[in-house]
Amino acid sequence: MSKDVLEIRNVNRVYNDGEKDVKALSDINLTVKEGEFVSIIGSSGCGKTTLLKLIAGLDMPQSGELLLNESKITGPDYKRGYVFQQNCLFEWLTVEKNIAAGLKARHVYTQNKDKVSKYIDLVGLHGFEKSYPHQISGGMAQRVAIARALINEPEILLLDEPMGALDSFTRADIQDKLLDIKKQENLTMILVTHDVDEAIYLSDRIVIMTPRPGRISEVIDVDIPYPRQRGGAEFINLRRNLLDKFHLASAEPQPEYFI
C-alpha cells in the first residue's frame, strides 16, 4: 500500500476584499498517496487554485494545517514543484538554462548539471536546448516549465491548469507526457483543471469542489485501466456522471467539456 504523501487537515482560508471577509475555502480535508494523480475540479472561483497555492506554500491558511511527508508546510520549497497556467519562462534564457534555473538558485548546479539533459529528454525537447522561449511553441514552452519543476526532484508536482491555453492536440500530447512521467518517476501529481475529460483521462481520483466557500463535496475514484480511451463506455459514463453533478449533462456527449 502506498504511503500518504500529503495531508490537508481542517484547512480554512479567508480573504478581505477591502469591505468584508470572503471565505475562499472551508474545512478542507484530503489525503494524497505516493504516486497518485489527483485532479481538482469545480466552477470558477471555488478555490481550486487557492488550495494549490496553500499546498505549494505560496499562501497560508487561517486555520488547519498541511503536511508533506509529515512535515508541516510553512512556505515555498523545491520539494513542491509548481507549474503555472502560463509557462513563466525567462525570455532571456535558452531552454536548457531555463530548466537549470532552479538548480542554480539552490547553488547545486555544478554537481547536478548532467540532469539538465535527462529532463530535456524526459519532456521530449531534445534538439531545442539552445532555443529561446520566443522560438518555440506554447506547448513546448509548457514542457520546459514542467522540466524546470521536475529537475529539483520534488516530492509532489502541482499543476495549475498548465494545458488550459493550448490547442486540443498539444494538450493531449502533454497529457500523455505527464502520464509517462508519472509512470517513470512514480511522482505524485495534483492538477487543477476545468476540463472534465482531462481529469478523467489523467486521474486516479477526482476531487469535486463546491462554489464559494470552497468545500470538497465528493472524491471520485477513476477505476478505468490505463491507457484510457476517451470514447470508451466507462469513460463516457463517468463523464456523464460528473457533468450531471454540475447540471451540464446532455444526451449527446461532445468531444470535450469544460466547467
Side-chain angles (χ1 to χ4, degrees):
M1 187 67 122
S2 299
K3 67 175 183 178
D4 293 341
V5 171
L6 176 70
E7 295 178 77
I8 303 172
R9 301 174 178 169
N10 305 313
V11 161
N12 293 275
R13 184 66 175 101
V14 179
Y15 295 98
N16 188 284
D17 64 4
E19 297 181 357
K20 62 182 184 301
D21 287 340
V22 177
K23 196 161 193 177
L25 296 173
S26 178
D27 196 28
I28 300 294
N29 289 276
L30 182 67
T31 301
V32 178
K33 294 190 175 297
E34 183 179 31
E36 192 173 24
F37 199 120
V38 173
S39 288
I40 303 172
I41 65 173
S43 58
S44 295
C46 73
K48 300 185 299 296
T49 294
T50 297
L51 179 55
L52 207 67
K53 288 181 177 178
L54 291 174
I55 299 169
L58 298 173
D59 193 9
M60 290 291 114
Q62 264 74 27
S63 60
E65 61 181 1
L66 301 95
L67 299 98
L68 184 68
N69 285 321
E70 300 183 349
S71 296
K72 189 172 180 179
I73 295 172
T74 58
D77 192 292
Y78 71 89
K79 293 179 181 178
R80 282 164 268 123
Y82 200 105
V83 182
F84 295 89
Q85 185 171 5
Q86 303 299 325
N87 57 68
C88 300
L89 300 184
F90 301 118
E91 294 293 329
W92 58 93
L93 296 180
T94 62
V95 164
E96 62 183 0
K97 289 182 178 179
N98 262 287
I99 293 171
L103 297 177
K104 292 181 177 180
R106 293 171 50 218
H107 307 291
V108 295
Y109 173 71
T110 301
Q111 59 267 45
N112 290 282
K113 59 183 178 181
D114 291 344
K115 289 182 180 179
V116 176
S117 59
K118 170 190 172 181
Y119 285 99
I120 284 173
D121 289 341
L122 187 65
V123 298
L125 287 173
H126 180 71
F128 294 91
E129 294 88 343
K130 306 298 182 184
S131 299
Y132 287 88
H134 71 274
Q135 296 174 318
I136 59 178
S137 68
M140 293 170 72
Q142 284 296 52
R143 289 186 183 208
V144 176
I146 292 168
R148 184 174 61 184
L150 290 173
I151 200 168
N152 285 314
E153 298 182 342
E155 295 171 5
I156 190 167
L157 184 65
L158 307 173
L159 303 151
D160 189 4
E161 299 189 63
M163 288 84 79
L166 303 176
D167 66 82
S168 58
F169 297 106
T170 304
R171 187 164 63 245
D173 185 46
I174 293 181
Q175 288 168 1
D176 286 335
K177 183 57 64 178
L178 286 173
L179 289 177
D180 288 343
I181 292 168
K182 176 180 179 289
K183 183 177 180 180
Q184 291 179 46
E185 306 287 313
N186 192 36
L187 182 61
T188 309
M189 300 188 190
I190 299 180
L191 169 72
V192 163
T193 182
H194 283 92
D195 186 339
V196 171
D197 280 30
E198 180 170 84
I200 299 171
Y201 189 73
L202 293 172
S203 307
D204 297 300
R205 287 189 298 154
I206 298 173
V207 175
I208 300 176
M209 293 187 65
T210 65
R212 186 175 293 172
R215 297 184 177 91
I216 295 176
S217 65
E218 191 173 354
V219 180
I220 295 177
D221 293 323
V222 184
D223 296 320
I224 304 174
Y226 294 104
R228 292 172 179 164
Q229 302 299 317
R230 299 174 198 266
E234 291 177 292
F235 196 105
I236 291 171
N237 287 337
L238 181 53
R239 175 204 287 150
R240 184 176 290 114
N241 181 31
L242 284 169
L243 291 173
D244 188 56
K245 293 178 188 297
F246 293 99
H247 308 292
L248 295 172
S250 62
E252 297 296 330
Q254 299 302 310
E256 296 176 355
Y257 295 90
F258 297 88
I259 56 172

